[in-house]
Amino acid sequence: MSSPPPTAPAGVPDVSVVICVYTEDRWDDILAAVASVRDQSWPALETLVVVDHNEALLRRLAKRYGDDGAGATAGVRVLANTGPRGLSAGRNTGIAASSGEVIAFLDDDAVAERDWLRHFALAYTDPRVMAVGGRTEPVWESRRRPAWFPEEFDWVVGCSYRGLAPGRVRVRNILGGNASFRRSAFTRVGGFASGIGRDGDRLPLGGEETELCIRLTRAVPEAVLLIDDRSVIHHRVPAARERFRYFHRRAYAEGLSKALVTRSVGTRSGLASERRYTTRVLPAGVARGVRDALLGRPGGAGRAGAIVAGLAVTVGGYALGSLRARRGGARFAVAEAITGGTAAEEPHGGHGPNGPAAGPPAEEATA
């Protein structure tokens, strides 16, 4: 099993990496994701591949990485999601089975740059840091961004978007597909909430990372959450997600998810970052699109229109989700405190009823 180099600075924690998978359609992507972790300049303590209720994929991956212990020797463990179907329960399964003081999460259709874990690990030398996220770059299957697709809405395809501050900055929440948390975050406030996040291709499709981050900072006010844009992953965007139909569907789902979480924490916490995004980032994007259209540049009008449409459908999803939440028709469950591997500590406090808030975009950096 790999471990950080002996020359590592004092106080740098071991990092376990969790990759949640659910379909054999992403077989090559899964292998590439695991390989990118094994090729890190800062070695992971272990890589846990959590299979979401797919026996055929579980068997295939177990055979690929070794059923007889060979996988563990190579630093890769394959295990089944022990909770309900969905990304949140898969992540919680990985957390409970991991041994590192820090747990990092990588999407199954993304590859990490060589120094991805190095920047994560070094940030945790500050004991106040409880979570660190990175920058996620889209890899378009068509080999180029659709001319109409605005960078302000790259969160639709799970990537960092225009409007995030550059560098290493404090944030309200981080993006789950390129994220890490100190283990004590999970022992203190519980795991990812089920009923908000992704479940294959079903709706809603996001918000569980934001909910966890807000729950964490409420329970631990001194906690520091960061995005370090040097921790880079490249996320594959299939052709089906380059179409306006998917753009529309995902934006609508974000509104539904955000309403569910905001119902628990109130609009002050639940929509704090989104206010800046909708009043400053999006208007600036529309203005750029209109300008490009007037200058005859390709896609300008389409981008301006997509921003307006994306905002409208997200607001519509939020309105409907809020109505459902008030009627008690939409709920989510927060996982109990997760201890898990050898680096676990005793739980302190509980998640209580106050935790949550989802985010459409990942998160705005605080100025």
Side-chain angles (χ1 to χ4, degrees):
M1 183 176 293
S2 300
S3 60
T7 56
V12 181
D14 287 337
V15 183
S16 298
V17 176
V18 173
I19 302 173
C20 295
V21 306
Y22 71 96
T23 176
E24 290 186 85
D25 293 343
R26 293 185 177 180
W27 178 256
D28 290 339
D29 291 332
I30 294 167
L31 300 188
V34 172
S36 75
V37 175
R38 296 174 72 173
D39 193 39
Q40 289 293 299
S41 62
W42 191 274
L45 177 67
E46 60 190 347
T47 301
L48 296 95
V49 181
V50 183
V51 183
D52 190 19
H53 298 273
N54 185 328
E55 289 297 326
L57 179 58
L58 180 67
R59 290 193 298 270
R60 189 177 180 188
L61 283 168
K63 182 177 181 180
R64 174 67 176 78
Y65 291 111
D67 249 338
D68 55 0
T73 301
V76 180
R77 296 168 57 195
V78 178
L79 55 156
N81 176 10
T82 59
R85 187 181 301 277
L87 181 60
S88 291
R91 286 174 173 165
N92 293 339
T93 296
I95 295 164
S98 66
S99 300
E101 183 183 342
V102 169
I103 301 97
F105 300 92
L106 179 65
D107 274 348
D108 63 346
D109 53 356
V111 294
E113 290 192 0
R114 185 168 169 75
D115 290 330
W116 176 62
L117 282 184
R118 175 180 294 277
H119 295 299
F120 277 174
L122 293 176
Y124 288 99
T125 55
D126 181 344
R128 300 173 303 162
V129 173
M130 298 295 284
V132 185
R135 185 172 85 250
T136 302
E137 298 286 352
V139 180
W140 305 95
E141 187 171 315
S142 63
R143 299 184 181 276
R144 60 184 302 177
R145 173 186 295 275
W148 64 269
F149 202 113
E151 293 181 14
E152 292 81 1
F153 273 79
D154 277 3
W155 55 266
V156 164
V157 291
C159 296
S160 301
Y161 58 96
R162 184 191 288 268
L164 290 172
R168 191 166 88 167
V169 293
R170 291 189 68 167
V171 294
R172 181 195 66 183
N173 66 272
I174 59 180
L175 282 170
N178 181 8
S180 64
F181 290 86
R182 198 182 290 275
R183 179 178 296 280
S184 57
F186 302 113
T187 63
R188 296 189 72 166
V189 303
F192 290 95
S194 297
I196 303 176
R198 292 187 292 275
D199 177 0
D201 294 320
R202 297 175 60 190
L203 298 180
L205 296 176
E208 69 276 19
E209 303 91 8
T210 311
E211 186 278 327
L212 174 61
C213 288
I214 292 181
R215 186 173 5 122
L216 175 60
T217 52
R218 284 189 165 191
V220 188
E222 68 276 16
V224 173
L225 283 64
L226 301 171
I227 284 183
D228 188 337
D229 66 6
R230 298 171 298 175
S231 288
V232 181
I233 69 170
H234 299 270
H235 185 272
R236 187 173 70 84
V237 181
R241 296 188 179 185
E242 298 182 15
R243 299 168 186 161
F244 185 76
R245 180 179 179 181
Y246 179 82
F247 178 92
H248 181 280
R249 180 171 180 263
R250 179 65 181 84
Y252 174 72
E254 189 61 49
L256 292 176
S257 296
K258 185 164 297 300
L260 180 59
V261 179
T262 301
R263 177 67 174 169
S264 294
V265 297
T267 57
R268 182 180 179 87
S269 295
L271 299 178
S273 297
E274 290 72 17
R275 291 190 183 94
R276 175 184 177 275
Y277 176 75
T278 56
T279 59
R280 295 173 59 184
V281 175
L282 294 187
V286 172
R288 275 190 298 272
V290 171
R291 179 200 62 195
D292 288 348
L294 293 174
L295 294 174
R297 295 172 180 167
R303 289 192 298 275
I307 291 173
V308 173
L311 176 60
V313 75
T314 303
V315 170
Y318 177 80
L320 180 58
S322 297
L323 179 61
R324 290 177 177 174
R326 284 196 298 271
R327 292 177 174 176
R331 301 180 184 275
F332 63 89
V334 176
E336 296 297 328
I338 303 175
T339 53
T342 57
E345 57 185 57
E346 290 300 314
H348 177 75
H351 57 266
N354 294 326
E363 171 48 58
E364 303 296 334
T366 54

